[in-house]
Amino acid sequence: MYFRCLPLSSLLFYDRRNNNRTMAFFNPTIWLMVQNELMESSGVVDDGDSTSEVSFDDFDDEALFQTFHLNRACISFIADNIRGRTQREIQMTKPGVSADGMIMITLNYYAHGVLSLAIQEKTGTKRVDCADVIRIVSEVISGMADHFIAFPFGGEDRANVASEMERFCGIPKVLGVLECAQFKVKTSDTAALQVFQNNFGHSTVAIQMICDCDGNLLSVEENCRAGSTPPQDIWDSSLRKIELEGDVDGDLYRVIAGKDYALSKHVLPPVVQPLNEDDKSFNVAHAKLHSVMQKTLYSLKRRFGCLLKLGFAKESALDKKVLVIKACCVLHNIAKKFSVPAPPSDRRN
């Protein structure tokens, strides 16, 4: 197969070099073939899970979407890529739970923030058993981030991304939209409340993300921080800033960011006090692009209700929060490839 000889980054941006809009519109059939070959080359194979007593086929299409907020084709692709990776963990920790059962439990939790009794009964698990299951599957999915969340690198890739951004909003040399995404948590005491309380008075954890003009996530940091941490501090210590500053072409490209960020060589916040028509025009273009990130985060939280209530948090133990957030980000990008709409919601996130 022709694509086998190309690195993943080339595949992700291959259609840009053929003048298609973005990697979100990469031919679905080719994209799936590429990902399947990638998993096979990593030693991940589909064992068929022939002994499983649970199946996603037991749900009709409507029930499937209501239960997992994903469609059948998307779930099938996700399960195929997770199943082989979870076999060793199943044998070591949960011999009574099949791979599909673990995936079903985790996707249901992601969608609603709680595990339904129907899924517990279907998979034969108790609530006390499910925390480890969700942790195992979250580790597997978040570990797939390098395959499904790709920030452009190299001169040609970045030039193509910047060209797309300029066509969208008119601002040149932009690689994406930077945001410090906030996710609500609970705190156990007053001291913790002060640490996690953000500027809006909510207890949250924060993790840095970058998206493109179509709402695909291009970057999600490896660590999250307490909600009181200023976004500028998170950016200053981020791997993405280090990468841009160390790149030969780093001084040529920037990211769009909100008013909580300082103007710098790589970051473009809005003009706080526009003095002329150029400043006003820039702010209009900036707002158009920045709104894409707001819509992306809104859609992310609608699809994955677990992100609305991440439970109790300790500043010294945020790794489990990162696993769930990053896993949901991976699934967000996969869902976009399958054009799965976010579930309707009347709540404010």
Side-chain angles (χ1 to χ4, degrees):
M1 180 178 175
Y2 173 71
F3 289 101
R4 186 187 296 278
C5 63
L6 295 176
L8 179 62
S9 59
S10 298
L11 299 174
L12 290 173
F13 294 96
Y14 183 81
D15 67 333
R16 288 194 176 108
R17 290 194 281 273
N18 284 279
N19 297 319
N20 289 337
R21 184 165 174 75
T22 69
M23 72 178 189
F25 293 94
F26 195 87
N27 182 282
T29 302
I30 295 176
W31 186 81
L32 297 181
M33 293 170 65
V34 169
Q35 296 301 337
N36 285 333
E37 289 217 354
L38 185 150
M39 296 305 168
E40 290 174 4
S41 68
S42 300
V44 178
V45 295
D46 180 5
D47 66 354
D49 200 28
S50 57
T51 62
S52 174
E53 296 181 359
V54 298
S55 172
F56 289 102
D57 291 336
D58 295 338
F59 299 85
D60 62 32
D61 290 346
E62 182 179 356
L64 197 74
F65 187 80
Q66 289 178 350
T67 306
F68 306 106
H69 293 170
L70 299 166
N71 65 21
R72 191 172 305 280
C74 184
I75 290 175
S76 178
F77 177 75
I78 292 166
D80 286 345
N81 282 293
I82 295 174
R83 194 177 291 121
R85 292 170 175 262
T86 59
Q87 292 305 309
R88 182 170 178 271
E89 288 82 355
I90 293 170
Q91 294 170 1
M92 292 178 61
T93 61
K94 296 290 175 186
V97 184
S98 68
D100 278 8
M102 295 178 72
I103 296 165
M104 192 175 289
I105 288 167
T106 305
L107 294 185
N108 180 240
Y109 165 75
Y110 287 168
H112 300 282
V114 293
L115 184 62
S116 72
L117 290 175
I119 294 298
Q120 289 185 66
E121 292 175 358
K122 188 173 185 63
T123 56
T125 55
K126 299 177 181 179
R127 186 176 299 275
V128 70
D129 297 323
C130 295
D132 283 344
V133 168
I134 293 168
R135 176 187 57 78
I136 289 169
V137 178
S138 295
E139 286 177 352
V140 171
I141 300 175
S142 63
M144 294 158 55
D146 288 345
H147 299 160
F148 296 98
I149 300 175
F151 192 75
F153 65 93
E156 185 177 0
D157 286 339
R158 289 184 175 174
N160 285 326
V161 174
S163 178
E164 293 167 6
M165 293 290 187
E166 186 171 6
R167 284 197 296 270
F168 180 80
C169 69
I171 304 176
K173 301 296 184 181
V174 172
L175 294 180
V177 186
L178 173 69
E179 184 65 80
C180 184
Q182 304 270 339
F183 301 95
K184 291 180 181 179
V185 295
K186 295 179 181 179
T187 52
S188 57
D189 53 47
T190 303
L193 176 63
Q194 294 177 345
V195 170
F196 285 95
Q197 192 171 64
N198 64 13
N199 291 337
F200 298 98
H202 301 301
S203 294
T204 64
V205 292
I207 187 167
Q208 180 178 290
M209 299 181 181
I210 298 174
C211 78
D212 67 12
C213 56
D214 289 302
N216 299 289
L217 293 170
L218 303 179
S219 174
V220 180
E221 280 291 303
E222 295 294 330
N223 301 304
C224 66
R225 308 278 287 276
S228 62
T229 310
Q232 183 67 47
D233 290 354
I234 296 177
W235 166 252
D236 287 339
S237 62
S238 70
L239 296 175
R240 196 58 63 208
K241 180 189 178 185
I242 294 171
E243 176 188 341
L244 284 176
E245 290 188 339
D247 192 83
V248 174
D249 297 322
D251 60 331
L252 298 177
Y253 296 103
R254 291 83 53 95
V255 290
I256 286 292
K259 61 183 180 181
D260 292 328
Y261 293 86
L263 175 65
S264 68
K265 182 169 62 175
H266 300 292
V267 180
L268 291 177
V271 178
V272 177
Q273 294 181 326
L275 300 177
N276 50 49
E277 289 303 317
D278 287 343
D279 288 348
K280 294 177 181 178
S281 296
F282 172 80
N283 277 359
V284 170
H286 184 286
K288 179 181 180 180
L289 185 53
H290 192 261
S291 68
V292 174
M293 175 59 89
Q294 305 308 314
K295 294 174 183 177
T296 298
L297 292 177
Y298 181 63
S299 176
L300 184 71
K301 293 177 182 180
R302 281 168 56 193
R303 187 184 307 282
F304 303 112
C306 65
L307 298 179
L308 295 174
K309 39 191 173 183
L310 281 173
F312 284 94
K314 294 182 179 180
E315 190 175 14
S316 60
L318 294 179
D319 53 327
K320 292 181 181 179
K321 307 302 181 189
V322 175
L323 286 178
V324 172
I325 294 170
K326 200 159 190 176
C328 290
C329 290
V330 169
L331 298 181
H332 165 85
N333 277 4
I334 294 175
K336 285 189 65 65
K337 296 295 186 296
F338 285 87
S339 301
V340 185
S345 175
D346 57 1
R347 63 195 172 199
R348 295 184 180 272
N349 298 332

